[in-house]
Amino acid sequence: MALVIDGDRGRTTTLRSGDRDFGRLWRLLAPRYTGTERVPEAWTKGRYPPVRVTVVWGLTGIGGWPETGRAPDGDVAMERQDQVFLAPDGTPWVRTDPSPDVADDDIRWHRAPRSVFGRLAQEGALFGPERAAPVTSEPGWPARARWALPGLAVGLLLGAGVPWCIRRTATRRENAGSPRESRQELIDL
Protein backbone atom coordinates (compact mmCIF):
# COMPACT_ATOMS: atom_id res chain seq x y z
CA MET A 1 0.00 0.00 0.00
CA ALA A 2 1.04 3.61 -0.45
CA LEU A 3 0.09 6.58 1.70
CA VAL A 4 0.23 9.67 -0.56
CA ILE A 5 0.42 13.13 1.03
CA ASP A 6 -0.13 16.17 -1.20
CA GLY A 7 2.68 18.73 -0.82
CA ASP A 8 0.36 21.77 -0.97
CA ARG A 9 -2.68 20.97 1.10
CA GLY A 10 -1.51 17.94 3.07
CA ARG A 11 -4.43 15.92 1.69
CA THR A 12 -3.81 12.19 2.25
CA THR A 13 -4.78 9.43 -0.17
CA THR A 14 -4.34 5.69 0.39
CA LEU A 15 -3.60 3.52 -2.63
CA ARG A 16 -3.59 -0.26 -2.69
CA SER A 17 -1.80 -2.51 -5.15
CA GLY A 18 -4.91 -3.07 -7.32
CA ASP A 19 -5.57 0.64 -7.90
CA ARG A 20 -4.76 2.20 -11.28
CA ASP A 21 -2.85 5.12 -9.74
CA PHE A 22 -0.83 2.69 -7.60
CA GLY A 23 0.73 1.20 -10.75
CA ARG A 24 1.53 4.66 -12.13
CA LEU A 25 3.01 5.76 -8.81
CA TRP A 26 5.10 2.56 -8.75
CA ARG A 27 6.46 3.35 -12.23
CA LEU A 28 7.13 6.98 -11.24
CA LEU A 29 8.95 6.33 -7.98
CA ALA A 30 10.55 2.93 -8.75
CA PRO A 31 10.53 1.76 -5.11
CA ARG A 32 12.80 -1.23 -5.84
CA TYR A 33 15.53 1.06 -7.22
CA THR A 34 18.33 1.31 -4.65
CA GLY A 35 20.86 3.45 -6.52
CA THR A 36 21.45 7.18 -6.31
CA GLU A 37 22.34 10.01 -8.68
CA ARG A 38 24.31 13.19 -8.11
CA VAL A 39 22.17 16.25 -7.39
CA PRO A 40 23.07 19.96 -7.10
CA GLU A 41 25.10 20.79 -3.98
CA ALA A 42 22.31 23.03 -2.62
CA TRP A 43 19.91 20.08 -2.62
CA THR A 44 22.21 17.97 -0.44
CA LYS A 45 22.17 20.82 2.12
CA GLY A 46 18.36 20.91 2.20
CA ARG A 47 17.71 23.78 -0.23
CA TYR A 48 15.69 21.86 -2.80
CA PRO A 49 12.45 22.82 -4.61
CA PRO A 50 9.12 22.48 -2.79
CA VAL A 51 7.86 18.95 -2.23
CA ARG A 52 5.14 18.03 -4.74
CA VAL A 53 4.07 14.85 -2.97
CA THR A 54 5.32 12.55 -0.19
CA VAL A 55 4.69 8.81 -0.45
CA VAL A 56 5.13 6.39 2.44
CA TRP A 57 5.21 2.76 1.30
CA GLY A 58 3.84 0.11 3.62
CA LEU A 59 3.23 -3.62 3.92
CA THR A 60 -0.10 -4.87 5.26
CA GLY A 61 -0.98 -8.13 6.98
CA ILE A 62 2.22 -8.49 8.96
CA GLY A 63 2.72 -9.20 12.65
CA GLY A 64 0.89 -11.80 14.64
CA TRP A 65 2.30 -14.66 16.68
CA PRO A 66 4.70 -14.61 18.48
CA GLU A 67 5.34 -10.84 18.39
CA THR A 68 1.82 -9.60 19.21
CA GLY A 69 0.12 -12.65 20.70
CA ARG A 70 -2.67 -12.59 18.09
CA ALA A 71 -3.30 -13.84 14.58
CA PRO A 72 -1.70 -12.01 11.61
CA ASP A 73 -4.17 -9.42 10.41
CA GLY A 74 -4.22 -5.70 9.75
CA ASP A 75 -0.86 -4.60 11.07
CA VAL A 76 1.06 -2.30 8.74
CA ALA A 77 4.82 -1.76 8.47
CA MET A 78 6.00 1.52 6.96
CA GLU A 79 9.08 0.73 4.95
CA ARG A 80 10.16 3.61 2.75
CA GLN A 81 9.48 7.30 2.17
CA ASP A 82 9.71 8.97 -1.23
CA GLN A 83 9.34 12.68 -1.98
CA VAL A 84 8.82 14.06 -5.47
CA PHE A 85 10.39 17.38 -6.50
CA LEU A 86 10.22 19.23 -9.79
CA ALA A 87 13.57 20.73 -10.87
CA PRO A 88 13.61 24.15 -12.60
CA ASP A 89 14.13 22.42 -15.98
CA GLY A 90 10.94 20.35 -15.49
CA THR A 91 12.66 17.08 -14.54
CA PRO A 92 10.91 15.21 -11.71
CA TRP A 93 13.29 13.99 -9.00
CA VAL A 94 12.65 11.45 -6.25
CA ARG A 95 14.28 11.78 -2.81
CA THR A 96 14.19 8.43 -1.02
CA ASP A 97 14.67 7.54 2.62
CA PRO A 98 14.83 3.72 2.63
CA SER A 99 14.31 3.53 6.42
CA PRO A 100 12.21 6.45 7.67
CA ASP A 101 12.08 5.04 11.20
CA VAL A 102 15.89 5.18 11.55
CA ALA A 103 17.56 8.55 12.16
CA ASP A 104 20.42 8.37 9.65
CA ASP A 105 21.65 10.20 6.58
CA ASP A 106 20.89 7.46 4.04
CA ILE A 107 19.12 9.66 1.48
CA ARG A 108 19.08 8.62 -2.19
CA TRP A 109 18.09 10.61 -5.28
CA HIS A 110 17.04 9.55 -8.77
CA ARG A 111 15.22 11.03 -11.76
CA ALA A 112 11.66 9.95 -12.50
CA PRO A 113 10.09 9.49 -15.96
CA ARG A 114 8.57 12.75 -17.21
CA SER A 115 5.79 11.00 -19.10
CA VAL A 116 4.45 9.20 -16.01
CA PHE A 117 4.78 12.33 -13.88
CA GLY A 118 2.96 14.37 -16.51
CA ARG A 119 0.03 11.92 -16.62
CA LEU A 120 -0.33 11.83 -12.84
CA ALA A 121 -0.04 15.61 -12.49
CA GLN A 122 -2.49 16.43 -15.31
CA GLU A 123 -5.17 14.20 -13.81
CA GLY A 124 -4.78 16.08 -10.53
CA ALA A 125 -5.88 13.19 -8.32
CA LEU A 126 -2.59 12.83 -6.43
CA PHE A 127 -0.76 16.10 -7.02
CA GLY A 128 -3.75 18.42 -6.92
CA PRO A 129 -5.33 20.20 -9.93
CA GLU A 130 -3.49 23.49 -9.36
CA ARG A 131 -0.16 21.68 -9.58
CA ALA A 132 -0.59 20.40 -13.12
CA ALA A 133 2.77 19.60 -14.64
CA PRO A 134 4.20 22.03 -17.17
CA VAL A 135 6.24 19.21 -18.70
CA THR A 136 5.42 17.43 -21.93
CA SER A 137 4.93 13.71 -21.88
CA GLU A 138 7.33 12.95 -24.73
CA PRO A 139 10.09 14.88 -26.46
CA GLY A 140 9.07 16.55 -29.70
CA TRP A 141 10.17 15.74 -33.24
CA PRO A 142 13.39 17.84 -33.23
CA ALA A 143 14.71 16.03 -30.14
CA ARG A 144 13.95 12.63 -31.68
CA ALA A 145 15.38 13.66 -35.07
CA ARG A 146 18.69 14.43 -33.42
CA TRP A 147 19.10 10.67 -32.77
CA ALA A 148 17.00 9.22 -35.58
CA LEU A 149 18.79 10.81 -38.53
CA PRO A 150 22.34 9.72 -37.59
CA GLY A 151 20.98 6.25 -36.76
CA LEU A 152 19.30 6.03 -40.16
CA ALA A 153 22.51 7.13 -41.90
CA VAL A 154 24.60 4.50 -40.09
CA GLY A 155 22.00 1.83 -40.86
CA LEU A 156 21.99 2.65 -44.57
CA LEU A 157 25.77 2.76 -44.67
CA LEU A 158 26.09 -0.65 -43.02
CA GLY A 159 23.23 -2.13 -45.04
CA ALA A 160 24.79 -1.12 -48.34
CA GLY A 161 28.48 -1.24 -47.39
CA VAL A 162 28.77 -4.72 -45.91
CA PRO A 163 27.32 -6.60 -48.94
CA TRP A 164 29.52 -4.49 -51.26
CA CYS A 165 32.64 -5.47 -49.27
CA ILE A 166 31.67 -9.16 -49.35
CA ARG A 167 31.11 -9.09 -53.11
CA ARG A 168 34.40 -7.26 -53.69
CA THR A 169 36.35 -9.84 -51.63
CA ALA A 170 34.71 -12.74 -53.49
CA THR A 171 35.50 -11.15 -56.88
CA ARG A 172 39.14 -10.64 -55.90
CA ARG A 173 39.48 -14.31 -54.98
CA GLU A 174 37.96 -15.45 -58.28
CA ASN A 175 40.19 -13.16 -60.34
CA ALA A 176 43.38 -14.05 -58.48
CA GLY A 177 43.79 -17.32 -60.34
CA SER A 178 45.51 -20.36 -58.92
CA PRO A 179 47.42 -19.99 -55.69
CA ARG A 180 51.18 -19.60 -55.97
CA GLU A 181 52.12 -21.99 -53.18
CA SER A 182 52.05 -25.72 -53.55
CA ARG A 183 48.86 -27.43 -52.56
CA GLN A 184 48.24 -30.94 -51.49
CA GLU A 185 45.42 -32.95 -52.88
CA LEU A 186 43.76 -35.83 -51.16
CA ILE A 187 43.06 -38.66 -53.49
CA ASP A 188 40.67 -41.46 -52.71
CA LEU A 189 42.35 -44.78 -53.19
Side-chain angles (χ1 to χ4, degrees), residues 89-121:
D89 68 350
T91 303
W93 281 83
V94 178
R95 178 182 181 266
T96 298
D97 184 354
S99 300
D101 57 336
V102 178
D104 61 3
D105 61 348
D106 186 13
I107 302 297
R108 302 170 188 185
W109 293 86
H110 69 274
R111 289 178 183 91
R114 285 184 186 216
S115 60
V116 177
F117 177 79
R119 268 187 257 129
L120 281 169

Side-chain angles (χ1 to χ4, degrees), residues 1-15 25 52-57 78 124-128:
M1 74 174 259
L3 188 63
V4 182
I5 304 144
D6 186 340
D8 281 340
R9 297 170 294 200
R11 188 183 89 233
T12 304
T13 306
T14 303
L15 298 175
L25 200 62
R52 299 288 293 246
V53 70
T54 299
V55 178
V56 180
W57 298 94
M78 294 302 175
L126 297 178
F127 296 119

